[in-house]
Amino acid sequence: MATETSKPREPSSSSSSSSTTTKNPLILHLHEKLSSCSTLIESGDEKSVAELVDFIDSVSDSAVSNHEDSDEQGNAVEVLSETHKFLLSPSLDQAVIDALSFELPKAVSKFAGLSNECLRIADSIIDFFIENCSPRDMLPILCEALDSWNGMVHAYDYVAPLLSGISKVLLAIQRRHFEQVKVAVPVILNVLKAVSSEFSARDTECMNLFIRALGIADSIRAICAKLEGRVLEKLRDVLSSYILQIMALLSLVLGCEIPRCLPLVSRLSEFFPFCGLSYLGLITGSDVDEMTRTFVAEEEDDYMRCLSYIKHGAAISVIWGHISVDVARAAGGDVSTVKDEILSNQTERWQAIGMFKAHILICRFPLGIKETCH
């Protein structure tokens, strides 16, 4: 699996975890599982991977169930740390790395909500696989793991390291960029929509999750720099739809905390000039119609289904520009100018009224946002 663009591994000063001296029977058991895994995979038997994952899952389940137990939390950190050390061993065969890459990203992400240290190590393990395996293989692996959020305790913690992993692996892909991004974005948006419904506006994790989702937008924009012509136009449409859907989700979840929300709204709005989005085109819906016309023409029904809030995002973006001059400046827009233009054009005025009624007034956006429109 390391045939496309995976980087050759640098020798590591970390020794194999099996040589680490420990009195913790749980870690001794982990070392046995890891050693067995390595030996059996090299001989062509990958059944030991499932046993290793079952063991790691049992540790994360126990730590999540006993969050106040310092011993359980310590075990969780140690299991993650020793697994990472094992992966860094310079003697580890590539076949072992490839086999583990299918399962460990999902397994280690289950630890992410336990502590900042667990999240850091989970991020590092996923980064390791991205650096040492084929990016075109890792993208579907991470998307599949992301799509397995349902039933997870604190799913928003689970998806965080996977979102960051996707943002990094997208940058490592060297061919068929548009096709790869187009497959990943619906998975990401559907998961964000479902998981964000678990938040209250005061959850710190909520803000962190949207920051990681923004990292994916940054990666897509960076990919655009490698493209030209029609493929570039289509990828910009994908980026535009992604940004507007996140704008709507962010406003629904965090809109009642306007001061906290503004920095992220500004970051999202910074994409508008690059994507060719204007406040006039957003509030009348013409920009949205233009970008989605491509998806409809190409019968991208699966893609369109993940954009249920795209027109809400378009309309609310202009309202955010009305709330904050900094947001409007980031978007390269002037709400006053847009108002004047709408008032002087009857067709655009009715289009704007229709967007406002259909996608703001009857939607569950926080009252504080709606009140700014009067």
Side-chain angles (χ1 to χ4, degrees):
M1 195 170 82
T3 58
E4 185 189 344
T5 59
S6 54
K7 302 175 184 177
R9 293 193 298 135
E10 297 293 332
S12 169
S13 60
S14 301
S15 61
S16 170
S17 59
S18 59
S19 64
T20 304
T21 302
T22 178
K23 295 181 180 180
N24 187 336
L26 190 73
I27 302 306
L28 291 173
H29 194 189
L30 172 67
H31 290 167
E32 292 172 3
K33 292 287 185 185
L34 291 169
S35 179
S36 173
C37 220
S38 180
T39 302
L40 291 175
I41 290 173
E42 289 177 15
S43 64
D45 182 357
E46 296 187 3
K47 293 180 181 178
S48 57
V49 175
E51 295 179 2
L52 171 65
V53 170
D54 287 343
F55 173 76
I56 293 175
D57 282 348
S58 70
V59 176
S60 63
D61 289 344
S62 181
V64 169
S65 300
N66 301 280
H67 201 275
E68 302 301 321
D69 189 322
S70 59
D71 289 338
E72 294 285 359
Q73 303 310 305
N75 285 337
V77 172
E78 198 168 0
V79 163
L80 280 180
S81 180
E82 291 299 309
T83 300
H84 191 211
K85 288 179 184 178
F86 171 81
L87 292 171
L88 292 175
S89 172
S91 62
L92 192 61
D93 190 83
Q94 185 64 43
V96 178
I97 296 172
D98 289 345
L100 293 176
S101 71
F102 285 95
E103 301 295 340
L104 283 192
K106 178 179 178 180
V108 301
S109 293
K110 296 177 183 178
F111 291 79
L114 294 173
S115 66
N116 289 335
E117 179 66 4
C118 284
L119 176 58
R120 184 191 66 78
I121 303 173
D123 279 333
S124 296
I125 290 174
I126 291 174
D127 287 349
F128 169 85
F129 287 119
I130 292 171
E131 293 167 2
N132 291 281
C133 301
S134 164
R136 290 184 66 187
D137 289 330
M138 285 307 302
L139 181 59
I141 287 171
L142 294 177
C143 285
E144 183 179 355
L146 185 67
D147 205 25
S148 301
W149 66 272
N150 199 12
M152 299 288 181
V153 178
H154 302 311
Y156 44 82
D157 291 320
Y158 166 78
V159 305
L162 296 169
L163 289 173
S164 290
I166 290 173
S167 71
K168 295 168 185 173
V169 80
L170 284 174
L171 291 174
I173 292 173
Q174 295 183 357
R175 293 179 296 164
R176 299 181 64 83
H177 300 93
F178 172 72
E179 290 79 5
Q180 300 286 342
V181 172
K182 188 180 65 175
V183 170
V185 164
V187 177
I188 297 163
L189 289 179
N190 286 332
V191 170
L192 282 173
K193 180 181 177 182
V195 171
S196 63
S197 65
E198 298 185 12
F199 287 122
S200 75
R202 298 183 184 278
D203 287 336
T204 302
E205 295 87 350
C206 178
M207 186 73 73
N208 293 337
L209 194 65
F210 282 111
I211 290 172
R212 289 181 181 241
L214 261 169
I216 293 172
D218 287 328
S219 294
I220 297 174
R221 180 165 56 180
I223 292 170
C224 286
K226 305 176 183 179
L227 306 178
E228 58 185 16
R230 181 58 183 151
V231 177
L232 172 58
E233 293 174 9
K234 290 166 66 175
L235 189 57
R236 276 181 175 167
D237 286 342
V238 170
L239 177 58
S240 299
S241 62
Y242 180 81
I243 289 296
L244 294 180
Q245 182 76 2
I246 292 181
M247 183 74 81
L249 294 174
L250 175 66
S251 302
L252 286 167
V253 177
L254 281 174
C256 60
E257 298 277 331
I258 289 178
R260 290 183 63 212
C261 207
L262 285 175
L264 276 177
V265 172
S266 291
R267 282 275 287 113
L268 287 167
S269 299
E270 288 172 1
F271 287 88
F272 290 177
F274 177 81
C275 294
L277 301 176
S278 69
Y279 276 166
L280 180 63
L282 291 171
I283 198 60
T284 61
S286 61
D287 280 355
V288 177
D289 291 339
E290 184 175 349
M291 79 176 70
T292 57
R293 195 173 293 122
T294 299
F295 308 134
V296 173
E298 297 185 4
E299 298 182 351
E300 298 290 349
D301 294 339
D302 288 342
Y303 190 84
M304 288 301 298
R305 276 193 286 270
C306 76
L307 302 178
S308 56
Y309 287 144
I310 186 173
K311 287 196 172 182
H312 302 76
I316 204 71
S317 295
V318 182
I319 293 174
W320 279 115
H322 172 68
I323 293 172
S324 167
V325 66
D326 290 334
V327 169
R329 188 178 297 115
D334 185 330
V335 176
S336 298
T337 301
V338 173
K339 286 180 182 177
D340 292 340
E341 189 161 351
I342 288 174
L343 289 174
S344 65
N345 186 307
Q346 186 177 25
T347 300
E348 291 176 343
R349 183 163 66 251
W350 283 112
Q351 288 172 335
I353 291 172
M355 283 284 288
F356 184 76
K357 286 184 176 179
H359 304 294
I360 299 296
L361 291 183
I362 66 173
C363 193
R364 54 187 177 91
F365 285 114
L367 184 59
I369 292 180
K370 292 181 179 180
E371 286 177 342
T372 65
C373 305
H374 297 303

